[in-house]
């Protein structure tokens, strides 16, 4: 991939290793696992760089072997089993074959529960495909899609992001059904990625769940400040812009090392037509972002109870809280009984407004929302 001529701090997508910071150990672990027939469970909070890491892994895999096929599915917005199977089918059917009349005939005869419809884009000449899976044929269609993947014999890697979403589907027994098919695909390995740690842990670590110990589990934490600093400062320097360590460290520490939020601030800093940056420039960006998101954050507050909002504000003002039941903390922020705090904590975590890190500290998940709550 060629180098960008504009802003090197990406906030979406993947454009090659030059614009991807570190994750060397995680990349190596995932590639080593997939290459040795082990599927992977990748767990991290949203916007920590999970999708970018998956795309980076796929880039490295294809770099070493042009004959493999990699697919990425984000199922966050799917509502049921039918949505899942339709999304899977649209992503993989026809993508393992050379586009030809023979291929079309073979595929249309292979699938019995639905018919893929192929066409050529009149502008680009590129082939496209549509499928129409009837709800009553969903399970049969899934089996046919997996049979198709198996029959090709080609090496395939499929990343399913926000995999915990399947636990929200109305249909029962889907984990067992998916596991029963996936374990018999010798040429296909999976990355099951998710942002809700407790749900992903239950799915892959509970002895009574179908995916128990079926994958290698990898967690994603914040990028080390030294590594991220070197990455950022080098890009500024390459464009003859001066970003000093103090300014970067202020951004990193204010945003708790959370990748997407840091990238957004660096992206906006880079776009300012000046040669040297200050903490004042950073604070101006913070104020602008909070003003832009003001209506959204007000809506967040209207969606929760007054008690939950009081606890959320208290945690934001403290930055991180390890013992929310501690008497001095409760008294300082006029919080009620520990039992009420426990219920509020669980509700706020379910809504992804709060998150609990591996050290046991609670903090507001959306770093800009946290700054807004502190005002």
């Amino acid at each position: 991939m060629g180098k960008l001529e504009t802003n090197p701090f990406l906030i979406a997508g993947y454009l090659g290793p030059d614009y991807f910071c570190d994750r060397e150990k995680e990349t190596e672990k995932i590639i080593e696992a997939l290459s040795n027939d082990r599927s992977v469970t990748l767990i991290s909070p949203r916007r920590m760089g999970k999708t970018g890491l998956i795309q980076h892994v796929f880039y490295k895999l294809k770099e070493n072997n042009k004959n493999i096929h990699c697919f990425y599915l984000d199922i966050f917005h799917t509502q049921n089993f039918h949505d899942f199977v339709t999304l899977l089918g649209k992503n993989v059917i026809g993508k393992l074959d050379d586009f030809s009349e023979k291929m079309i005939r073979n595929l249309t005869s292979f699938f019995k529960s639905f018919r893929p419809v192929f066409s050529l884009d009149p502008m680009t000449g590129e082939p496209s495909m549509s499928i129409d899976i009837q709800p009553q044929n969903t399970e049969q269609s899934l089996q046919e899609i997996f049979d198709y993947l198996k029959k090709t014999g080609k090496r395939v890697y499929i990343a399913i992001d926000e995999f915990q979403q399947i636990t929200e589907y109305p249909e029962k027994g889907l984990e067992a059904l998916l596991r029963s098919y996936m374990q018999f695909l010798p040429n296909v390995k999976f990355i099951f990625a998710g942002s809700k740690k407790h749900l992903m842990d239950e799915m892959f670590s509970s002895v009574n769940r179908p995916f128990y110990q079926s994958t290698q589990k990898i967690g994603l934490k914040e990028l080390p400040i030294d590594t991220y600093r070197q990455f950022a400062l080098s890009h500024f320097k390459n464009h003859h812009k001066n970003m000093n360590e103090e300014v970067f460290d202020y951004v990193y520490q204010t945003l708790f090392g959370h990748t997407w939020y840091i990238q957004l601030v660096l992206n906006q800093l880079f776009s300012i037509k000046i040669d040297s940056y200050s903490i004042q420039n950073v604070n101006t960006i913070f104020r602008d972002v909070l003003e832009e998101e003001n209506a959204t954050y007000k809506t967040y507050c209207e969606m929760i109870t007054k008690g939950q909002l009081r606890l959320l504000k208290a945690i934001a003002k403290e930055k991180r809280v390890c013992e929310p039941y501690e008497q001095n903390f409760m008294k300082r922020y006029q919080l009620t009984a520990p039992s009420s705090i426990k219920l509020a904590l669980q509700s706020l975590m379910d809504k992804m407004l709060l998150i609990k890190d591996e050290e046991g500290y609670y903090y507001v998940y959306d770093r800009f929302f946290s700054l807004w709550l502190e005002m």
Side-chain angles (χ1 to χ4, degrees), residues 50-52 54-55 58 69-76 87 91-92 157-162 191 193:
K50 174 165 42 68
T51 303
I54 293 170
Q55 297 296 345
F58 284 173
H69 298 266
C70 300
F71 301 102
Y72 171 83
L73 286 69
D74 185 346
I75 67 170
F76 181 73
L87 182 63
N91 274 272
V92 304
Y157 300 115
I158 301 176
I160 307 176
D161 206 353
E162 301 300 343
I191 300 175

Side-chain angles (χ1 to χ4, degrees), residues 3 8 18 231-241 270:
K3 290 189 176 182
D18 287 339
F231 170 83
L233 269 56
S234 66
H235 274 297
F236 279 102
K237 183 178 180 180
N238 290 341
H239 290 80
H240 310 292
K241 293 171 176 282
F270 186 90

Side-chain angles (χ1 to χ4, degrees), residues 241-289:
K241 293 171 176 282
N242 180 33
M243 159 73 81
N244 64 45
E245 293 187 3
E246 180 186 9
V247 175
F248 175 82
D249 289 2
Y250 177 72
V251 174
Y252 183 97
Q253 291 161 1
T254 302
L255 300 174
F256 291 2
H258 207 129
T259 307
W260 183 87
Y261 299 96
I262 296 174
Q263 287 289 109
L264 178 62
V265 173
L266 295 178
N267 180 285
Q268 295 198 20
L269 278 174
F270 186 90
S271 68
I272 302 174
K273 297 187 182 304
I274 56 177
D275 298 325
S276 185
Y277 301 92
S278 67
I279 288 177
Q280 183 179 351
N281 298 134
V282 175
N283 286 333
T284 298
I285 291 174
F286 285 156
R287 286 195 298 271
D288 289 345
V289 170

Side-chain angles (χ1 to χ4, degrees), residues 152-316:
T152 66
K154 297 179 180 179
R155 191 65 169 178
V156 176
Y157 300 115
I158 301 176
I160 307 176
D161 206 353
E162 301 300 343
F163 187 66
Q164 75 280 337
Q165 182 67 17
I166 69 169
T167 65
E168 304 290 333
Y169 294 167
E171 297 89 354
K172 305 300 180 184
L174 290 186
E175 289 178 53
L177 179 65
L178 289 173
R179 173 72 175 135
S180 68
Y181 289 134
M182 290 175 174
Q183 66 181 330
F184 294 113
L185 296 174
N187 58 311
V188 183
K189 296 304 165 191
F190 295 86
I191 300 175
F192 302 104
S195 59
K196 293 188 176 180
K197 186 176 186 301
H198 64 291
L199 292 178
M200 294 293 288
D201 280 341
E202 289 174 7
M203 292 175 74
F204 291 92
S205 300
S206 295
V207 67
N208 59 339
R209 301 289 282 267
F211 281 98
Y212 172 66
Q213 291 189 343
S214 62
T215 65
Q216 179 173 337
K217 292 184 282 294
I218 298 173
L220 204 58
K221 298 180 180 179
E222 300 85 358
L223 286 165
I225 187 171
D226 293 340
T227 304
Y228 207 163
R229 185 196 301 121
Q230 181 180 354
F231 170 83
L233 269 56
S234 66
H235 274 297
F236 279 102
K237 183 178 180 180
N238 290 341
H239 290 80
H240 310 292
K241 293 171 176 282
N242 180 33
M243 159 73 81
N244 64 45
E245 293 187 3
E246 180 186 9
V247 175
F248 175 82
D249 289 2
Y250 177 72
V251 174
Y252 183 97
Q253 291 161 1
T254 302
L255 300 174
F256 291 2
H258 207 129
T259 307
W260 183 87
Y261 299 96
I262 296 174
Q263 287 289 109
L264 178 62
V265 173
L266 295 178
N267 180 285
Q268 295 198 20
L269 278 174
F270 186 90
S271 68
I272 302 174
K273 297 187 182 304
I274 56 177
D275 298 325
S276 185
Y277 301 92
S278 67
I279 288 177
Q280 183 179 351
N281 298 134
V282 175
N283 286 333
T284 298
I285 291 174
F286 285 156
R287 286 195 298 271
D288 289 345
V289 170
L290 300 190
E291 183 178 344
E292 292 166 3
E293 298 294 337
N294 185 57
T296 299
Y297 294 151
K298 284 183 177 178
T299 300
Y300 287 174
C301 295
E302 292 169 356
M303 292 168 54
I304 59 179
T305 67
K306 291 182 178 179
Q308 291 169 0
L309 180 57
R310 191 180 301 115
L311 176 61
L312 197 62
K313 285 185 174 181
I315 292 175

Side-chain angles (χ1 to χ4, degrees), residues 5-22:
E5 296 180 356
T6 55
N7 200 311
F9 298 104
L10 307 181
I11 54 176
Y14 176 81
L15 290 175
D18 287 339
Y19 309 100
F20 184 80
C21 181
D22 192 42

